[in-house]
Amino acid sequence: MAFAKKIEPGTAVRLAEIDPAYDAGLSKDDGEKLTKDLAKRLDELDDLHYEAGMNSVLIVLQGRDTSGKDGTIRFLLSSLNAQGCRVAPFKVPTPIELAHDFLWRVHAVTPPKGGMTIFNRSHYEDVLVVRVHSLVPEAVWRPRYEHIDAFERLLADSGTIILKFMLHISKEEQERRLLDRENEVQKAWKLNVGDWKERAYWDDYTAAYEEALSRCSTARAPWYVVPADKKWFRNLAIAETLVNTLEPYRKAWLERLEGIGEAAKAELEEFRRSQA
Ligand code: ADP
């Protein structure tokens, strides 16, 4: 069963039609058991991916404030091969970044072969926050959907497996999480008045997300909307999507590793013969 909602290319997304509290009728306990099994498989697949060095994996995480991007990263890092995994956060662009095209800073941190990079926010901010706050004119941000599509095509054609997750939370859940930050000492460091200010633009962000999801979900770089009101279900949906996406590569990665092993063995035998 698919727990995350894959956006089929060309569909018009309506976020209101996707329940942020969806849990497939699972209990938290059952969900966590499934996630544990999936995390094991993910670890194994990631090892093969790292050692075979044939592909790169790019995970894009987007979502409103408090939607759980950091928690998702913590979960993924606990299940992945630490050697090949990196996190790339995207903040307000620096003057140098702004002096380049919007994809310049993004291309610089895409994953190499064998690597996996998690984008904490991404190039999509350039059609989300930039659009909502009119940071550049529409004539500048609108062509970006096509630039993004071409960029992701380039990455995919170069062997990058791309998965894009939109962590979908409800307005009520966001309020609960923001209030928790005020009320719990251990969470207070996350307090940011900016989050409350952004909340006022809820509907504008909805429209911006809907267009990005509708315009930029492709077979080679699909978008998944992840019901994220329940953190355990969010992790389950992401683990399942990753395992389902990487599993079809297992055979090719194993074959490559066998090939590498055979070649190393032959070289060693040759060396021993020469020493005899
Ligand atoms: P977090 O991702 O944990 O919220 P910050 O609080 O540092 O981290 O937020 C990063 C901020 O950078 C966000 O408000 C985001 O909208 C902003 N940002 C990211 N990319 C861009 C961009 N291209 N243009 C303008 N703002 C951006």
Side-chain angles (χ1 to χ4, degrees):
M1 192 196 309
F3 295 132
K5 174 149 181 60
K6 184 175 186 176
I7 305 303
E8 292 306 328
T11 40
V13 177
R14 297 271 304 117
L15 283 173
E17 288 165 6
I18 304 171
D19 179 7
Y22 178 69
D23 61 9
L26 292 166
S27 69
K28 184 175 176 193
D29 266 6
D30 286 345
E32 284 180 342
K33 272 186 210 125
L34 287 173
T35 305
K36 216 168 152 199
D37 290 345
L38 285 163
K40 256 192 231 138
R41 282 174 66 194
L42 184 56
D43 183 36
E44 190 189 310
L45 283 163
D46 185 35
D47 272 345
L48 293 177
H49 153 68
Y50 173 74
E51 287 154 8
M54 291 169 73
N55 296 94
S56 331
V57 178
L58 172 60
I59 300 172
V60 169
L61 288 184
Q62 281 290 160
R64 303 176 197 261
D65 295 320
T66 77
S67 61
K69 296 186 288 297
D70 292 346
T72 302
I73 290 169
R74 255 195 306 281
F75 162 68
L76 285 175
L77 291 184
S78 69
S79 321
L80 294 168
N81 180 331
Q83 294 200 74
C85 195
R86 291 184 46 191
V87 178
F90 290 91
K91 309 274 184 186
V92 176
T94 63
I96 289 183
E97 288 169 346
L98 281 175
H100 291 80
D101 69 83
F102 78 104
L103 291 170
W104 180 75
R105 66 172 182 164
V106 183
H107 209 165
V109 292
T110 51
K113 295 264 191 297
M116 180 172 306
T117 300
I118 304 170
F119 279 6
N120 185 357
R121 303 184 187 269
S122 67
H123 42 303
Y124 282 91
E125 290 293 327
D126 291 281
V127 287
L128 292 167
V129 66
V130 166
R131 164 179 168 157
V132 168
H133 290 288
S134 305
L135 300 181
V136 297
E138 180 166 356
V140 175
W141 61 255
R142 188 152 284 287
R144 288 181 175 170
Y145 299 111
E146 278 179 33
H147 293 312
I148 288 174
D149 188 35
F151 172 61
E152 292 178 352
R153 185 162 4 113
L154 168 67
L155 298 182
D157 286 349
S158 314
T160 308
I161 302 163
I162 306 172
L163 301 98
K164 301 180 295 195
F165 295 108
M166 190 264 176
L167 307 183
H168 180 42
I169 53 163
S170 61
K171 204 168 179 184
E172 299 70 39
E173 179 63 17
Q174 187 189 58
E175 184 172 22
R176 263 193 295 279
R177 292 183 187 183
L178 287 173
L179 289 174
D180 275 355
R181 289 181 180 181
E182 265 175 75
N183 299 331
E184 290 181 34
V185 181
Q186 296 97 322
K187 291 185 181 169
W189 65 272
K190 288 188 182 177
L191 265 181
N192 177 359
V193 64
D195 291 346
W196 285 99
K197 289 185 185 159
E198 284 307 278
R199 188 174 154 77
Y201 295 92
W202 186 273
D203 293 342
D204 295 337
Y205 272 108
T206 300
Y209 267 110
E210 287 179 344
E211 185 153 9
L213 295 165
S214 305
R215 295 282 305 264
C216 299
S217 198
T218 57
R220 66 187 91 82
W223 267 112
Y224 295 88
V225 177
V226 178
D229 272 7
K230 294 175 182 161
K231 295 173 185 173
W232 63 265
F233 187 79
R234 171 201 77 202
N235 290 348
L236 170 61
I238 287 179
E240 185 205 42
T241 309
L242 268 163
V243 167
N244 287 346
T245 303
L246 299 184
E247 192 65 54
Y249 293 87
R250 179 192 288 271
K251 192 161 165 277
W253 292 340
L254 275 172
E255 279 171 9
R256 163 66 71 93
L257 288 175
E258 276 166 23
I260 294 171
E262 292 300 319
K265 243 194 263 168
E267 197 184 349
L268 185 60
E269 278 164 17
E270 177 63 36
F271 170 72
R272 290 213 173 112
R273 263 199 300 278
S274 72
Q275 299 288 303

